[in-house]
Amino acid sequence: PGHPLVPEITTAGKKEAVEQYQLAASLKSERERKSAGEKKVTRCNTGAFIIHPKTGKPLPICIADYVLAGYGTGTVMAVPAGDERD
């Protein structure tokens, strides 16, 4: 939610929902946000898409409160597998 590109990629139709989600995430401590295994992970669709590098299919770009902008690149490509958070 804190990535600097979020406002640029968010579509007009998703702007209000994304801003509300960003506010809710900002009210949580970093510890709360990192403890994804202890809570239900949430996300918010930005309305933007990227192209999957292997399949060429469009993938929605979502923001999630457990992804911290200051950790690594601040982005995650979530591929469902063994981690229930993805």
Side-chain angles (χ1 to χ4, degrees):
H3 196 283
L5 291 178
V6 171
E8 291 182 43
I9 65 168
T10 301
T11 62
K14 300 288 186 178
K15 184 177 180 185
E16 185 177 339
V18 166
E19 288 175 349
Q20 288 176 3
Y21 190 84
Q22 287 177 303
L23 176 61
S26 74
L27 298 175
K28 296 178 183 178
S29 71
E30 187 172 312
R31 181 180 173 146
E32 289 174 304
R33 292 179 62 196
K34 283 182 177 179
S35 303
E38 300 171 14
K39 66 174 179 75
K40 183 177 188 315
V41 174
T42 62
R43 66 175 175 80
C44 183
N45 191 322
T46 65
F49 291 86
I50 61 164
I51 301 302
H52 188 287
K54 182 101 172 156
T55 67
K57 293 181 180 180
L59 297 171
I61 300 175
C62 299
I63 56 176
D65 61 358
Y66 74 94
V67 180
L68 306 175
Y71 183 83
T73 63
T75 61
V76 174
M77 181 174 174
V79 180
D83 188 339
E84 293 180 3
R85 296 177 294 175
D86 293 337

Coordinates of all heavy atoms in Angstrom, one line a residue:
P1 N 0.8 -1.2 0.0 CA 0.0 0.0 0.0 C 0.8 1.3 0.0 O 0.4 2.3 -0.5 CB -0.8 -0.1 1.3 CG -0.8 -1.6 1.6 CD 0.4 -2.1 1.1
G2 N 2.1 1.2 0.5 CA 2.9 2.4 0.5 C 3.9 2.6 -0.6 O 4.7 3.5 -0.6
H3 N 3.8 1.7 -1.6 CA 4.7 1.8 -2.8 C 4.4 3.1 -3.5 O 3.2 3.4 -3.7 CB 4.5 0.6 -3.7 CG 5.7 0.4 -4.6 ND1 5.8 1.2 -5.7 CD2 6.7 -0.4 -4.6 CE1 6.9 0.9 -6.4 NE2 7.5 -0.1 -5.7
P4 N 5.4 3.8 -3.9 CA 5.2 5.1 -4.6 C 4.5 5.0 -5.9 O 3.9 6.0 -6.4 CB 6.6 5.7 -4.8 CG 7.6 4.6 -4.6 CD 6.9 3.6 -3.7
L5 N 4.4 3.9 -6.6 CA 3.8 3.8 -7.9 C 2.3 3.5 -7.7 O 1.5 3.6 -8.7 CB 4.4 2.6 -8.7 CG 5.8 2.9 -9.2 CD1 6.3 1.7 -10.0 CD2 5.8 4.1 -10.1
V6 N 1.8 3.2 -6.5 CA 0.4 2.9 -6.3 C -0.5 4.0 -6.9 O -1.5 3.7 -7.7 CB 0.0 2.5 -4.9 CG1 -1.5 2.4 -4.7 CG2 0.7 1.2 -4.5
P7 N -0.3 5.3 -6.6 CA -1.2 6.3 -7.1 C -1.2 6.4 -8.7 O -2.2 6.7 -9.3 CB -0.7 7.6 -6.5 CG 0.1 7.2 -5.3 CD 0.6 5.8 -5.6
E8 N 0.0 6.1 -9.2 CA 0.2 6.2 -10.7 C -0.6 5.1 -11.4 O -1.1 5.3 -12.5 CB 1.6 6.2 -11.1 CG 2.4 7.4 -10.6 CD 3.9 7.3 -11.1 OE1 4.1 6.9 -12.2 OE2 4.7 7.7 -10.2
I9 N -0.6 3.9 -10.8 CA -1.2 2.7 -11.6 C -2.7 2.5 -11.2 O -3.4 1.8 -12.0 CB -0.4 1.4 -11.3 CG1 -0.5 1.0 -9.8 CG2 1.0 1.5 -11.7 CD1 0.0 -0.4 -9.5
T10 N -3.2 3.1 -10.2 CA -4.5 2.9 -9.8 C -5.5 3.6 -10.7 O -5.3 4.8 -11.1 CB -4.8 3.5 -8.3 OG1 -3.9 2.8 -7.4 CG2 -6.2 3.3 -7.9
T11 N -6.5 2.9 -11.2 CA -7.5 3.4 -12.1 C -8.5 4.3 -11.4 O -8.6 4.2 -10.2 CB -8.2 2.3 -12.9 OG1 -8.9 1.5 -11.9 CG2 -7.3 1.4 -13.7
A12 N -9.1 5.2 -12.1 CA -10.1 6.1 -11.5 C -11.2 5.3 -10.8 O -11.6 5.8 -9.7 CB -10.7 7.0 -12.6
G13 N -11.6 4.2 -11.3 CA -12.7 3.5 -10.7 C -12.3 2.8 -9.4 O -13.2 2.4 -8.6
K14 N -11.0 2.6 -9.2 CA -10.5 2.0 -7.9 C -9.9 2.9 -6.9 O -9.5 2.5 -5.9 CB -9.5 0.9 -8.3 CG -10.0 -0.2 -9.2 CD -11.0 -1.1 -8.5 CE -11.4 -2.3 -9.3 NZ -12.2 -3.2 -8.7
K15 N -9.8 4.2 -7.3 CA -9.1 5.2 -6.5 C -9.6 5.3 -5.1 O -8.8 5.2 -4.1 CB -9.1 6.6 -7.2 CG -8.3 7.6 -6.5 CD -8.3 8.9 -7.2 CE -7.5 9.9 -6.4 NZ -7.5 11.2 -6.8
E16 N -10.9 5.4 -4.9 CA -11.4 5.6 -3.5 C -11.1 4.3 -2.7 O -10.7 4.5 -1.5 CB -12.9 5.9 -3.6 CG -13.5 6.2 -2.2 CD -15.0 6.5 -2.3 OE1 -15.5 6.9 -3.3 OE2 -15.6 6.4 -1.2
A17 N -11.4 3.2 -3.2 CA -11.1 1.9 -2.5 C -9.6 1.8 -2.1 O -9.3 1.4 -1.0 CB -11.6 0.7 -3.3
V18 N -8.8 2.1 -3.1 CA -7.3 2.0 -2.8 C -6.9 3.0 -1.7 O -6.2 2.6 -0.8 CB -6.5 2.2 -4.1 CG1 -5.0 2.4 -3.8 CG2 -6.7 1.0 -5.0
E19 N -7.4 4.2 -1.8 CA -7.0 5.2 -0.8 C -7.5 4.8 0.6 O -6.8 5.0 1.6 CB -7.6 6.6 -1.2 CG -6.8 7.2 -2.3 CD -7.4 8.5 -2.8 OE1 -8.5 8.9 -2.4 OE2 -6.7 9.2 -3.6
Q20 N -8.7 4.2 0.7 CA -9.2 3.7 2.0 C -8.4 2.6 2.5 O -8.1 2.5 3.7 CB -10.7 3.3 1.9 CG -11.6 4.5 1.7 CD -13.1 4.0 1.5 OE1 -13.4 2.9 1.5 NE2 -14.0 5.0 1.3
Y21 N -8.0 1.7 1.6 CA -7.1 0.6 2.0 C -5.8 1.1 2.5 O -5.2 0.6 3.5 CB -7.0 -0.4 0.8 CG -6.3 -1.7 1.2 CD1 -7.1 -2.7 1.8 CD2 -5.0 -1.9 1.1 CE1 -6.5 -3.9 2.1 CE2 -4.4 -3.1 1.5 CZ -5.2 -4.1 2.0 OH -4.6 -5.3 2.4
Q22 N -5.2 2.0 1.8 CA -3.9 2.6 2.2 C -4.0 3.2 3.6 O -3.1 3.0 4.4 CB -3.4 3.6 1.2 CG -3.0 3.0 -0.1 CD -2.6 4.1 -1.1 OE1 -3.4 5.0 -1.5 NE2 -1.3 4.0 -1.6
L23 N -5.1 3.9 3.8 CA -5.3 4.5 5.1 C -5.4 3.5 6.2 O -4.7 3.6 7.2 CB -6.5 5.4 5.1 CG -6.9 6.0 6.5 CD1 -5.8 6.9 7.0 CD2 -8.2 6.8 6.4
A24 N -6.2 2.4 6.0 CA -6.3 1.4 7.0 C -5.0 0.7 7.2 O -4.6 0.4 8.4 CB -7.3 0.3 6.5
A25 N -4.2 0.5 6.2 CA -2.9 -0.2 6.3 C -1.9 0.7 7.1 O -1.1 0.3 8.0 CB -2.3 -0.5 5.0
S26 N -2.0 2.0 6.9 CA -1.1 3.0 7.6 C -1.4 3.1 9.1 O -0.5 3.5 9.8 CB -1.2 4.4 6.9 OG -2.4 5.0 7.3
L27 N -2.6 2.7 9.5 CA -3.0 2.8 10.9 C -2.5 1.5 11.7 O -2.6 1.5 12.9 CB -4.5 2.9 11.0 CG -5.1 4.2 10.4 CD1 -6.6 4.2 10.5 CD2 -4.5 5.4 11.1
K28 N -2.0 0.5 10.9 CA -1.4 -0.7 11.6 C 0.1 -0.5 11.8 O 0.7 0.1 11.0 CB -1.7 -1.9 10.7 CG -3.2 -2.2 10.5 CD -3.3 -3.4 9.6 CE -4.7 -3.7 9.3 NZ -4.9 -4.9 8.4
S29 N 0.6 -1.1 12.9 CA 2.0 -1.1 13.1 C 2.7 -2.1 12.1 O 2.1 -2.9 11.5 CB 2.3 -1.6 14.5 OG 2.1 -3.0 14.7
E30 N 4.0 -1.9 12.0 CA 4.8 -2.8 11.1 C 4.7 -4.2 11.6 O 4.6 -5.1 10.8 CB 6.2 -2.3 11.0 CG 7.0 -3.1 10.0 CD 8.4 -2.5 9.8 OE1 8.5 -1.3 9.6 OE2 9.3 -3.3 9.7
R31 N 4.7 -4.4 12.9 CA 4.6 -5.7 13.5 C 3.3 -6.4 13.1 O 3.2 -7.5 12.7 CB 4.8 -5.6 15.0 CG 4.7 -7.0 15.7 CD 4.8 -6.8 17.1 NE 4.6 -8.1 17.7 CZ 5.2 -8.6 18.8 NH1 6.1 -7.9 19.4 NH2 4.9 -9.8 19.3
E32 N 2.2 -5.6 13.2 CA 0.9 -6.1 12.8 C 0.8 -6.6 11.4 O 0.3 -7.6 11.0 CB -0.2 -5.1 13.1 CG -0.6 -4.8 14.5 CD -1.6 -3.7 14.7 OE1 -1.3 -2.6 14.1 OE2 -2.6 -3.9 15.3
R33 N 1.5 -5.7 10.5 CA 1.4 -6.0 9.1 C 2.3 -7.2 8.7 O 2.0 -7.9 7.8 CB 1.9 -4.8 8.3 CG 0.8 -3.7 8.4 CD 1.2 -2.5 7.7 NE 1.3 -2.8 6.3 CZ 1.9 -1.9 5.4 NH1 2.5 -0.8 5.8 NH2 2.0 -2.3 4.1
K34 N 3.4 -7.4 9.5 CA 4.3 -8.5 9.2 C 3.7 -9.9 9.7 O 4.1 -10.9 9.2 CB 5.6 -8.3 9.9 CG 6.5 -7.3 9.2 CD 7.8 -7.3 9.9 CE 8.8 -6.4 9.3 NZ 10.1 -6.3 10.0
S35 N 2.8 -9.8 10.6 CA 2.3 -11.0 11.3 C 1.1 -11.6 10.4 O 0.1 -12.0 11.0 CB 1.8 -10.7 12.7 OG 2.8 -10.2 13.5
A36 N 1.4 -11.8 9.2 CA 0.3 -12.3 8.3 C -0.1 -13.7 8.6 O -1.3 -14.1 8.4 CB 0.8 -12.3 6.8
G37 N 0.7 -14.5 9.2 CA 0.3 -15.9 9.6 C -0.7 -15.9 10.7 O -1.4 -16.9 10.9
E38 N -0.8 -14.8 11.4 CA -1.7 -14.7 12.6 C -3.1 -14.1 12.2 O -3.9 -14.0 13.1 CB -1.1 -13.9 13.7 CG 0.2 -14.5 14.2 CD 1.0 -13.6 15.1 OE1 0.4 -12.7 15.6 OE2 2.2 -13.9 15.3
K39 N -3.2 -13.7 11.0 CA -4.5 -13.0 10.6 C -4.9 -13.3 9.2 O -4.1 -13.9 8.5 CB -4.3 -11.5 10.8 CG -3.3 -10.9 9.8 CD -3.3 -9.4 9.8 CE -2.3 -8.8 8.9 NZ -2.7 -8.8 7.5
K40 N -6.0 -12.9 8.8 CA -6.5 -13.1 7.4 C -5.8 -12.0 6.6 O -5.9 -10.9 6.9 CB -8.0 -13.0 7.4 CG -8.5 -13.2 6.0 CD -10.1 -13.2 6.0 CE -10.8 -13.5 4.8 NZ -10.6 -13.3 3.6
V41 N -5.1 -12.4 5.5 CA -4.5 -11.5 4.6 C -5.6 -10.8 3.8 O -6.4 -11.5 3.2 CB -3.4 -12.2 3.8 CG1 -2.8 -11.3 2.8 CG2 -2.3 -12.8 4.7
T42 N -5.4 -9.5 3.6 CA -6.4 -8.8 2.7 C -5.6 -8.2 1.6 O -4.4 -8.1 1.6 CB -7.1 -7.7 3.5 OG1 -6.1 -6.8 4.0 CG2 -7.8 -8.3 4.7
R43 N -6.4 -7.8 0.6 CA -5.8 -7.1 -0.6 C -6.8 -6.2 -1.2 O -8.0 -6.2 -0.9 CB -5.4 -8.2 -1.6 CG -6.5 -8.9 -2.2 CD -6.1 -9.8 -3.4 NE -7.2 -10.6 -3.9 CZ -8.1 -10.2 -4.8 NH1 -8.0 -8.9 -5.2 NH2 -9.1 -11.0 -5.2
C44 N -6.3 -5.3 -2.1 CA -7.2 -4.4 -2.7 C -6.7 -4.3 -4.2 O -5.5 -4.0 -4.4 CB -7.1 -3.0 -2.0 SG -8.2 -1.8 -2.8
N45 N -7.6 -4.5 -5.1 CA -7.3 -4.4 -6.5 C -7.1 -3.0 -7.0 O -8.0 -2.1 -6.7 CB -8.4 -5.1 -7.3 CG -8.0 -5.3 -8.8 OD1 -7.4 -4.5 -9.4 ND2 -8.4 -6.5 -9.3
T46 N -6.0 -2.6 -7.7 CA -5.8 -1.3 -8.2 C -6.5 -1.0 -9.5 O -6.5 0.2 -9.9 CB -4.3 -1.1 -8.4 OG1 -3.8 -1.9 -9.4 CG2 -3.5 -1.3 -7.1
G47 N -6.9 -2.0 -10.2 CA -7.5 -1.9 -11.5 C -6.5 -1.9 -12.6 O -6.9 -2.0 -13.8
A48 N -5.2 -2.0 -12.3 CA -4.2 -2.1 -13.3 C -3.8 -3.6 -13.5 O -4.1 -4.4 -12.6 CB -3.0 -1.3 -12.8
F49 N -3.1 -3.8 -14.6 CA -2.7 -5.2 -14.9 C -1.2 -5.1 -15.4 O -0.7 -4.1 -15.9 CB -3.5 -5.7 -16.0 CG -4.9 -6.0 -15.7 CD1 -5.9 -5.1 -15.7 CD2 -5.3 -7.3 -15.2 CE1 -7.2 -5.3 -15.3 CE2 -6.6 -7.6 -14.8 CZ -7.6 -6.6 -14.9
I50 N -0.5 -6.3 -15.2 CA 0.8 -6.5 -15.8 C 0.7 -7.7 -16.7 O -0.3 -8.5 -16.6 CB 1.9 -6.7 -14.7 CG1 1.5 -7.9 -13.9 CG2 2.0 -5.5 -13.9 CD1 2.7 -8.4 -13.1
I51 N 1.7 -8.0 -17.5 CA 1.7 -9.1 -18.3 C 2.6 -10.2 -17.7 O 3.8 -9.9 -17.4 CB 2.2 -8.8 -19.8 CG1 1.3 -7.7 -20.4 CG2 2.2 -10.0 -20.6 CD1 -0.2 -8.1 -20.5
H52 N 2.0 -11.4 -17.5 CA 2.8 -12.5 -16.9 C 4.0 -12.7 -17.8 O 3.8 -12.9 -19.0 CB 2.0 -13.7 -16.7 CG 2.6 -14.8 -16.0 ND1 3.6 -15.6 -16.5 CD2 2.4 -15.3 -14.7 CE1 4.0 -16.4 -15.6 NE2 3.3 -16.3 -14.5
P53 N 5.2 -12.8 -17.3 CA 6.4 -12.9 -18.2 C 6.5 -14.3 -18.9 O 7.1 -14.4 -19.9 CB 7.6 -12.7 -17.2 CG 7.0 -13.0 -15.8 CD 5.6 -12.6 -15.9
K54 N 5.9 -15.3 -18.3 CA 5.9 -16.6 -19.0 C 4.7 -16.9 -19.9 O 4.9 -17.4 -21.0 CB 6.0 -17.7 -17.8 CG 6.1 -19.1 -18.3 CD 7.6 -19.5 -18.2 CE 7.6 -21.0 -18.4 NZ 8.9 -21.4 -18.9
T55 N 3.5 -16.5 -19.4 CA 2.3 -16.9 -20.2 C 1.8 -15.8 -21.1 O 1.1 -16.1 -22.0 CB 1.2 -17.3 -19.2 OG1 0.8 -16.1 -18.5 CG2 1.6 -18.4 -18.3
G56 N 2.2 -14.6 -20.8 CA 1.8 -13.4 -21.7 C 0.4 -13.0 -21.3 O -0.2 -12.1 -21.9
K57 N -0.2 -13.6 -20.3 CA -1.6 -13.3 -19.9 C -1.6 -12.1 -18.9 O -0.6 -12.0 -18.1 CB -2.3 -14.5 -19.2 CG -2.5 -15.6 -20.2 CD -3.2 -16.8 -19.5 CE -3.5 -17.9 -20.5 NZ -4.2 -19.0 -19.8
P58 N -2.6 -11.3 -18.9 CA -2.7 -10.2 -18.0 C -3.0 -10.7 -16.5 O -3.7 -11.6 -16.3 CB -3.8 -9.3 -18.5 CG -4.7 -10.2 -19.3 CD -3.8 -11.3 -19.8
L59 N -2.3 -10.0 -15.6 CA -2.5 -10.3 -14.1 C -2.9 -9.1 -13.4 O -2.3 -8.0 -13.7 CB -1.2 -10.9 -13.5 CG -0.7 -12.2 -14.1 CD1 0.7 -12.5 -13.5 CD2 -1.6 -13.3 -13.7
P60 N -3.9 -9.1 -12.5 CA -4.3 -7.9 -11.8 C -3.2 -7.5 -10.8 O -2.5 -8.3 -10.3 CB -5.5 -8.3 -11.1 CG -5.4 -9.8 -10.9 CD -4.7 -10.3 -12.2
I61 N -3.0 -6.2 -10.7 CA -2.1 -5.7 -9.7 C -2.9 -5.3 -8.4 O -3.8 -4.4 -8.5 CB -1.3 -4.5 -10.2 CG1 -0.5 -4.8 -11.4 CG2 -0.4 -3.9 -9.1 CD1 0.2 -3.7 -12.1
C62 N -2.6 -5.9 -7.3 CA -3.3 -5.7 -6.1 C -2.3 -5.2 -5.1 O -1.1 -5.4 -5.2 CB -3.9 -6.9 -5.5 SG -5.2 -7.6 -6.6
I63 N -2.8 -4.5 -4.0 CA -1.9 -4.1 -2.9 C -2.4 -4.9 -1.7 O -3.5 -5.3 -1.6 CB -1.9 -2.6 -2.6 CG1 -3.4 -2.1 -2.4 CG2 -1.3 -1.8 -3.7 CD1 -3.4 -0.6 -2.0
A64 N -1.4 -5.3 -0.8 CA -1.7 -6.1 0.3 C -1.0 -5.5 1.5 O 0.1 -5.1 1.4 CB -1.3 -7.5 0.1
D65 N -1.7 -5.5 2.7 CA -1.1 -4.9 3.8 C 0.2 -5.6 4.4 O 1.0 -5.0 5.1 CB -2.1 -4.6 5.0 CG -2.7 -5.9 5.5 OD1 -2.4 -7.0 5.0 OD2 -3.6 -5.8 6.4
Y66 N 0.4 -6.9 4.1 CA 1.6 -7.5 4.6 C 2.8 -7.2 3.7 O 3.9 -7.6 4.1 CB 1.4 -9.0 4.7 CG 1.3 -9.8 3.4 CD1 2.5 -10.4 2.9 CD2 0.1 -10.0 2.6 CE1 2.4 -11.1 1.7 CE2 0.1 -10.7 1.5 CZ 1.3 -11.3 1.0 OH 1.2 -12.0 -0.2
V67 N 2.7 -6.5 2.6 CA 3.8 -6.2 1.7 C 4.2 -4.8 2.2 O 3.5 -3.8 2.0 CB 3.4 -6.2 0.2 CG1 4.6 -5.8 -0.6 CG2 2.9 -7.5 -0.2
L68 N 5.5 -4.7 2.7 CA 6.0 -3.4 3.2 C 6.9 -2.8 2.1 O 7.8 -3.4 1.6 CB 6.8 -3.7 4.5 CG 6.0 -4.4 5.6 CD1 7.0 -4.8 6.7 CD2 4.8 -3.7 6.0
A69 N 6.6 -1.5 1.9 CA 7.4 -0.8 0.8 C 8.8 -0.7 1.2 O 9.7 -0.6 0.3 CB 6.8 0.6 0.6
G70 N 9.2 -0.6 2.4 CA 10.6 -0.4 2.8 C 11.3 -1.7 3.0 O 12.5 -1.8 3.4
Y71 N 10.7 -2.9 2.6 CA 11.4 -4.2 2.7 C 11.6 -4.7 1.3 O 10.7 -4.9 0.6 CB 10.5 -5.1 3.5 CG 11.1 -6.5 3.7 CD1 12.0 -6.7 4.8 CD2 10.8 -7.5 2.9 CE1 12.6 -7.9 5.0 CE2 11.4 -8.8 3.1 CZ 12.3 -9.0 4.1 OH 12.9 -10.2 4.3
G72 N 12.9 -4.9 0.9 CA 13.2 -5.4 -0.4 C 12.7 -4.3 -1.4 O 13.0 -3.2 -1.3
T73 N 12.1 -4.8 -2.5 CA 11.6 -3.9 -3.5 C 10.2 -3.4 -3.2 O 9.7 -2.5 -3.9 CB 11.5 -4.6 -4.9 OG1 10.5 -5.7 -4.7 CG2 12.8 -5.2 -5.3
G74 N 9.5 -3.9 -2.1 CA 8.2 -3.5 -1.8 C 7.1 -4.1 -2.7 O 6.0 -3.7 -2.8
T75 N 7.6 -5.1 -3.5 CA 6.6 -5.8 -4.4 C 6.7 -7.3 -4.2 O 7.8 -7.8 -3.8 CB 6.9 -5.4 -5.9 OG1 8.2 -5.9 -6.2 CG2 6.8 -4.0 -6.1
V76 N 5.7 -8.0 -4.6 CA 5.6 -9.4 -4.5 C 4.8 -10.0 -5.7 O 3.8 -9.4 -6.0 CB 4.9 -9.9 -3.2 CG1 4.8 -11.4 -3.2 CG2 5.7 -9.4 -1.9
M77 N 5.4 -11.0 -6.3 CA 4.5 -11.7 -7.3 C 4.0 -12.9 -6.6 O 4.8 -13.8 -6.3 CB 5.3 -12.1 -8.6 CG 4.5 -12.8 -9.6 SD 5.4 -13.1 -11.1 CE 4.2 -14.0 -12.0
A78 N 2.8 -12.9 -6.3 CA 2.1 -13.9 -5.5 C 1.7 -15.1 -6.4 O 0.9 -14.9 -7.3 CB 0.9 -13.4 -4.7
V79 N 2.3 -16.2 -6.2 CA 2.0 -17.4 -7.0 C 1.5 -18.5 -6.0 O 2.3 -18.9 -5.1 CB 3.3 -17.9 -7.7 CG1 2.9 -19.2 -8.5 CG2 3.8 -16.8 -8.6
P80 N 0.3 -18.8 -6.0 CA -0.3 -19.8 -5.1 C 0.5 -21.1 -5.1 O 0.8 -21.6 -6.1 CB -1.7 -20.0 -5.5 CG -2.0 -18.8 -6.3 CD -0.8 -18.3 -6.9
A81 N 1.0 -21.5 -3.9 CA 1.7 -22.7 -3.8 C 1.6 -23.2 -2.3 O 0.5 -23.4 -1.9 CB 3.2 -22.5 -4.2
G82 N 2.7 -23.2 -1.6 CA 2.7 -23.7 -0.3 C 2.4 -22.6 0.8 O 2.2 -22.9 2.0
D83 N 2.4 -21.4 0.4 CA 2.2 -20.3 1.3 C 0.8 -19.8 1.2 O 0.3 -19.3 0.2 CB 3.2 -19.1 1.0 CG 3.1 -18.0 2.1 OD1 2.1 -17.9 2.8 OD2 4.1 -17.3 2.1
E84 N 0.0 -20.0 2.3 CA -1.5 -19.7 2.2 C -1.7 -18.2 2.0 O -2.8 -17.8 1.7 CB -2.1 -20.1 3.5 CG -2.2 -21.6 3.7 CD -2.8 -22.1 4.9 OE1 -3.3 -21.2 5.7 OE2 -2.9 -23.3 5.2
R85 N -0.7 -17.3 2.3 CA -0.9 -15.9 2.2 C -1.0 -15.5 0.7 O -1.4 -14.4 0.4 CB 0.3 -15.1 2.8 CG 0.3 -15.3 4.3 CD 1.4 -14.6 5.0 NE 2.7 -15.2 4.5 CZ 3.9 -14.8 4.8 NH1 4.0 -13.7 5.5 NH2 5.0 -15.4 4.4
D86 N -0.4 -16.3 -0.2 CA -0.4 -15.9 -1.6 C -1.6 -16.4 -2.4 O -2.1 -17.4 -2.4 CB 0.8 -16.5 -2.3 CG 2.1 -15.9 -1.7 OD1 2.0 -14.8 -1.2 OD2 3.2 -16.5 -1.9

